[in-house]
Structures are given as structure tokens and as C-alpha cells.
């Protein structure tokens, strides 16, 4: 699943251009740009903003987990995911706002499943951001339950989903 994907993206000035997307392993040096992507995501505007306001993806987190980036031409960050192997969970997944709808999320999920399978994992849990549930269901997750709100950080219930990766 390391084959590059070619997408039509919006470049500087909003003009459309073709871009080759590759999935690469994150390094500790990527921590700052991953943190910026999380904190700046439009998916966490409004009442969801408090959940990511102080969130940090640290170098130690990147080194401890399967963190992979979707990068375009010249290393432009298009998205990323973090797979925790024990217990198996898709802990983070973000697609850059400007790259939404290009297939980056599907590419990241396929890669995540391949990495989980290679590690001997049979299923991967996802506690989803509520607006992202439809996406996860569309790429093969199934509903497993609901995780109750955990104030003060999380003020809403979240869908719990499972990916089967065998």
C-alpha cells in the first residue's frame, strides 16, 4: 500500500494542479506541523474547539506510535494518522482542510489497515469525532457503541467504531 496516489488539488492562489501523494512515517521533527493541523482543523470549530485548543502532538508520541503522513509535492502535509498498537486504536486522523474530498482520508485508512494487519492486529477501535462518523462508516468501520462525554475536556458523547483488518 505504499503506491503513490495522484490527485487533483488546489495549489497556491486556488488554481487546480495534479499532485502525487505518498504515505511516509512521521519523525519527531513533524510534531509542530501535526500539532498545527490538529489545532487549526475546521472540524473542531465552534463548540468542538475546546477539545483541541491545547492539544499537542509531541515528538515522544510520534516515536512511540505508528504515525504516518500523507505528503504531496515538495513534502506538503495533506493529512496524517496515528495508530496505537496496544490496545489497537486509531487515535488521531486528520486531513488538511484544503485537501478534503481528494481521497486522502481513504488512502490513510487503507494504509492504517495494512499497518495494523502487518502488526498482527485483528481490529482497530476508533472513538470518532461526531461529525467524522459518516466518513469512517463509508470506509468500512462498523458502529460498536458510544463513549460518554468526559467533562471538562469532552462535553459530548462520541461514536465508538471498529475496523476489521483481517
Amino acid at each position: 500500500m505504499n503506491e503513490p496516489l495522484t490527485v487533483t488539488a488546489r495549489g497556491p492562489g486556488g488554481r487546480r494542479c495534479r499532485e502525487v501523494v505518498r504515505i511516509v512515517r512521521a519523525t519527531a521533527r513533524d510534531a509542530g506541523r501535526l500539532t498545527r493541523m490538529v489545532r487549526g482543523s475546521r472540524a473542531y470549530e465552534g463548540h468542538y474547539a475546546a477539545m483541541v485548543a491545547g492539544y499537542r502532538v509531541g515528538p515522544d508520541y510520534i516515536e512511540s506510535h505508528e504515525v504516518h503522513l500523507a505528503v504531496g509535492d515538495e513534502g506538503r502535509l495533506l493529512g496524517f494518522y496515528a495508530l496505537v498498537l496496544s490496545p489497537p486504536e486509531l487515535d488521531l486522523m486528520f486531513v488538511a482542510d484544503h485537501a478534503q474530498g481528494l481521497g486522502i482520508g481513504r488512502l490513510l485508512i487503507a494504509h492504517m489497515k495494512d499497518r495494523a494487519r502487518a502488526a498482527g492486529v485483528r481490529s482497530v477501535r476508533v472513538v470518532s469525532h461526531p461529525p467524522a462518523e459518516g466518513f469512517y462508516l463509508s470506509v468500512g468501520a462498523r458502529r460498536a457503541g458510544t463513549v460518554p462525554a468526559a467533562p471538562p475536556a469532552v462535553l459530548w458523547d462520541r461514536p465508538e467504531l471498529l475496523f476489521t483488518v483481517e
Side-chain angles (χ1 to χ4, degrees):
M1 186 65 220
N2 289 325
E3 299 171 21
L5 170 73
T6 301
V7 299
T8 300
R10 295 206 183 279
R15 58 176 213 282
R16 299 176 73 75
C17 58
R18 295 184 60 76
E19 188 161 21
V20 176
V21 180
R22 297 185 190 286
I23 305 294
V24 299
R25 184 78 186 245
T27 68
R29 286 179 292 188
D30 294 309
R33 67 183 185 157
L34 299 185
T35 296
R36 284 189 297 279
M37 181 174 281
V38 169
R39 290 182 184 177
S41 174
R42 282 192 318 237
Y44 285 89
E45 291 178 333
H47 72 280
Y48 293 120
M51 186 172 175
V52 297
Y55 197 89
R56 180 177 171 269
V57 181
D60 53 335
Y61 180 89
I62 292 169
E63 292 172 357
S64 300
H65 303 296
E66 290 266 342
V67 181
H68 293 268
L69 316 176
V71 293
D73 297 336
E74 300 174 18
R76 185 166 78 135
L77 180 62
L78 301 173
F80 77 98
Y81 76 86
L83 174 63
V84 175
L85 292 173
S86 184
E89 182 169 356
L90 179 60
D91 189 38
L92 298 170
M93 185 171 145
F94 283 82
V95 173
D97 293 337
H98 69 273
Q100 299 279 325
L102 300 177
I104 305 301
R106 290 180 183 281
L107 181 66
L108 289 168
I109 290 295
H111 190 273
M112 180 276 300
K113 287 179 175 180
D114 285 347
R115 296 297 303 155
R117 191 177 303 110
V121 169
R122 300 170 75 117
S123 65
V124 176
R125 176 182 188 242
V126 180
V127 177
S128 177
H129 179 47
E133 180 181 17
F135 166 75
Y136 288 121
L137 293 172
S138 78
V139 292
R142 63 180 164 71
R143 190 81 193 263
T146 301
V147 175
V154 182
L155 303 175
W156 54 90
D157 294 345
R158 294 166 292 155
E160 180 180 19
L161 308 158
L162 284 175
F163 282 104
T164 301
V165 295
E166 298 189 287

